[in-house]
Amino acid sequence: MLGGHQAAQAQDFSGAKPLPPRAIPGGALPEPDDSVPGGSDAAAIAPGPNTPTAHTALPLVPFTSARDALKAWMRDSTAGNKVGAVRALEYAASQGHLTAQYKLGRMYAGGEGVPANDLKAFEYFSKIADENADAMPGTADARLVGSAFVALGNYFSDGIKGSYVKPNPDRAFDMFHYAASYFGDPDGQYNLARLYMTGQGASRDRRQAARWMKLAAEKGHAPARAAFGEMLLRGGEGVPRQPVLGLMWLAMAREGADPTREAWIIERHDVAFAAASASDRSAALALIERQHLVNSRNGNAVQN
């Protein structure tokens, strides 16, 4: 098993299959208080996936299978029965259903239908990563697993206050690197590039940062497009200055940016285009039009 980021760095763009990071330590989470009436928020809290007896703490509907539980989850979610929906999802997760485990992780990470609990989210994502690290890339399951590795990378970057999950840049690198290299996850590639840019968890290397940022940008990742565009505009430290391409990537980033969450992309695009020469702006816009034409032709070819 991969013991640290040094081994991972040696495999960047080598073509060799990356090794999964070493197992992620889990901790047993407190079982929910079954003395609380069924309609309370406390009863809706899912137990940690690494707690052997956690799923017996609450009375569960006798589902016949994980698929049956998922149907109940959809039915209860539609009806607004949050407690029933979470219990159904817990059952499916306890049966090893990957999508249910991932959904619970996301729910606790974002406080969607349950009280936010980063440690429980971490536990679910850890279970997914430990048990599915060899999922076949390109499949629906692999996309969930890759995203779980990215979530773990973010948790290792910042730690979880008041828990055993401490900030660990080396482990964050491991998580992002595996998501980026094995699963080709664009969020993983973007976050890995940022680590190379800042030198956190890895030696500072702008060329490696540019390579990973470009891979994410080519997959339509708006923040990666903006960051890669700025790298090309500035150049230096092994990255050739290519202002026209830089403007092109910034313009493509602006097209895909969320105005609410990614206002910084729009701001940097506007600043860069205002500072650019008229000829560079025209050349960049011509490249974008050409790219749109290629994408349109490719889309029509797929449909036909």
Side-chain angles (χ1 to χ4, degrees):
M1 286 294 177
L2 187 62
H5 67 269
Q6 291 86 358
Q9 284 178 278
Q11 294 172 352
D12 283 357
F13 302 97
S14 67
K17 178 181 176 180
L19 296 173
R22 61 188 183 275
I24 303 163
L29 299 179
E31 294 181 0
D33 184 357
D34 55 8
S35 66
V36 179
S40 71
D41 284 340
I45 300 176
N50 293 338
T51 308
T53 61
H55 293 286
T56 63
L58 289 174
L60 296 174
V61 177
F63 303 109
T64 58
S65 65
R67 179 175 295 183
D68 181 38
L70 288 176
K71 289 180 180 178
W73 165 65
M74 295 180 66
R75 182 176 63 249
D76 288 341
S77 296
T78 302
N81 181 1
K82 294 182 180 180
V83 173
V86 172
R87 286 178 175 175
L89 210 55
E90 286 177 339
Y91 179 88
S94 73
Q95 300 303 302
H97 196 282
L98 176 62
T99 302
Q101 294 170 347
Y102 181 80
K103 179 64 178 176
L104 282 167
R106 283 297 175 200
M107 288 170 66
Y108 281 109
E112 301 171 7
V114 294
N117 189 318
D118 283 321
L119 185 57
K120 287 187 178 181
F122 177 88
E123 289 283 330
Y124 277 107
F125 292 135
S126 295
K127 186 172 181 65
I128 291 170
D130 283 341
E131 296 182 356
N132 302 275
D134 59 351
M136 183 65 68
T139 62
D141 283 355
R143 285 189 285 275
L144 297 183
V145 180
S147 185
F149 271 98
V150 173
L152 290 169
N154 287 322
Y155 280 127
F156 278 121
S157 292
D158 301 328
I160 300 176
K161 188 176 181 180
S163 79
Y164 62 87
V165 183
K166 307 302 180 185
N168 189 330
D170 288 348
R171 294 295 273 149
F173 181 95
D174 287 345
M175 301 299 115
F176 291 141
H177 182 272
Y178 195 66
S181 58
Y182 182 68
F183 291 110
D185 185 284
D187 284 325
Q189 292 167 342
Y190 171 71
N191 281 286
L192 181 63
R194 291 179 65 215
L195 293 185
Y196 276 122
M197 289 177 70
T198 61
Q200 294 179 311
S203 299
R204 191 171 184 276
D205 189 331
R206 281 179 59 83
R207 291 186 65 184
Q208 282 279 21
R211 288 175 176 177
W212 288 111
M213 204 67 83
K214 183 174 185 288
L215 287 175
E218 289 172 342
K219 294 175 182 175
H221 194 282
R225 285 179 165 182
F228 185 53
E230 288 195 318
M231 294 179 79
L232 293 177
L233 278 174
R234 292 193 302 268
E237 298 185 59
V239 179
R241 185 173 183 274
Q242 302 181 68
V244 173
L245 283 177
L247 291 171
M248 180 200 76
W249 282 114
L250 274 166
M252 293 175 69
R254 193 188 194 287
E255 290 178 355
D258 183 314
T260 301
R261 294 184 298 106
E262 298 168 336
W264 64 272
I265 293 177
I266 298 173
E267 178 183 346
R268 294 185 186 183
H269 163 275
D270 293 348
V271 170
F273 266 75
S277 66
S279 60
D280 282 352
R281 286 197 298 268
S282 297
L285 293 175
L287 286 178
I288 295 169
E289 288 299 321
R290 186 184 307 170
Q291 187 62 47
H292 287 165
L293 181 60
V294 171
N295 292 341
S296 176
R297 288 175 177 173
N298 290 341
N300 290 335
V302 171
Q303 293 177 4
N304 295 332

